[in-house]
Amino acid sequence: MEMIELIEATLNYAKDIWQFRQEVLERDADNENQFAGCLSLDTCSSAEEWIEICRLRNSENTCRQTGADVPSDTYFAIRKSDNKLVGVIDLRYHINHPILGTWGGHCGYTVRPSERGNGYAKDMLRLNIQNAKKLGIPKILITCHSDNLASEKTIIANGGVFEKVMEVDGTEIKRYWIIV
């Protein structure tokens, strides 16, 4: 597997994030959770607009302007060999929120459809756990749909400890905790 790094969302990758968006829209059209970790990427009119939203989410003072109740960081997973954006992952500073604390968790992630099956999600989550540690978050809640075996394997490979299954709007969600 090729090495990746996580970098904060930046205009240097505006063209790449827009291509990523288009690929997800085309390949995951039937997936209601197609933009996990990419809040509002599907509704923005440009990459620049979305990257500015990501910047505003970094602060408790400005995150609500974007429709988010909790500050977060959004990272691009960049493959080092060719500088290609292969995924997006976010990290919420806390989950003191009814939805996040119940089934949303500390982060969501999406791997570019053409890059799936290469282990990038596992590395993205591993690197994001390091980001959580830097922020002083002692443990993170990660959730996935019960039928999403790829995501479940990613969580378990990163030390996820199963807590329980819960139903949310008719969908079973599995909750896992990872000690940072």
Side-chain angles (χ1 to χ4, degrees):
M1 187 184 81
E2 296 198 52
M3 300 290 293
I4 63 166
E5 63 182 334
L6 295 185
I7 64 164
E8 285 204 46
T10 171
L11 286 173
N12 294 342
Y13 290 92
K15 181 179 176 185
D16 289 333
I17 194 62
W18 211 244
Q19 291 170 344
F20 171 94
R21 175 187 181 272
Q22 190 58 39
E23 189 173 325
V24 171
L25 285 171
E26 290 171 5
R27 301 264 300 269
D28 292 341
D30 296 333
N31 181 352
E32 69 182 37
N33 203 25
Q34 67 189 158
F35 284 104
C38 310
L39 183 65
S40 74
L41 179 57
D42 56 332
T43 60
C44 285
S45 60
S46 71
E48 293 79 9
E49 176 189 1
W50 186 71
I51 291 167
E52 176 62 13
I53 288 171
C54 292
R55 188 190 65 73
L56 290 169
R57 285 194 194 118
N58 292 131
S59 166
E60 189 79 48
N61 297 327
T62 56
C63 68
R64 284 181 181 77
Q65 295 174 28
T66 70
D69 292 324
V70 172
S72 63
D73 292 325
T74 301
Y75 299 98
F76 292 163
I78 305 298
R79 185 170 47 215
K80 290 184 176 184
S81 66
D82 61 1
N83 204 36
K84 182 177 181 179
L85 187 147
V86 297
V88 176
I89 190 167
D90 67 354
L91 177 61
R92 298 172 195 108
Y93 297 3
H94 63 80
I95 55 171
N96 300 332
H97 181 275
I99 293 173
L100 299 177
T102 304
W103 60 269
H106 280 91
C107 71
Y109 47 87
T110 298
V111 174
R112 188 181 206 128
S114 61
E115 298 292 342
R116 292 180 184 154
N118 294 316
Y120 292 126
K122 181 179 167 185
D123 264 5
M124 288 165 57
L125 183 54
R126 178 183 59 80
L127 293 168
N128 214 26
I129 292 166
Q130 293 172 11
N131 290 333
K133 186 173 191 165
K134 289 175 192 170
L135 287 174
I137 301 170
K139 64 181 183 175
I140 58 174
L141 173 64
I142 308 286
T143 65
C144 65
H145 288 198
S146 290
D147 62 355
N148 188 341
L149 296 178
S151 190
E152 185 173 22
K153 286 179 182 180
T154 294
I155 295 166
I156 292 169
N158 277 285
V161 176
F162 177 74
E163 180 189 53
K164 66 180 179 179
V165 174
M166 59 185 309
E167 188 175 317
V168 178
D169 296 331
T171 300
E172 286 189 343
I173 304 289
K174 290 185 176 182
R175 288 172 49 107
Y176 290 85
W177 288 96
I178 298 175
I179 303 298
V180 175

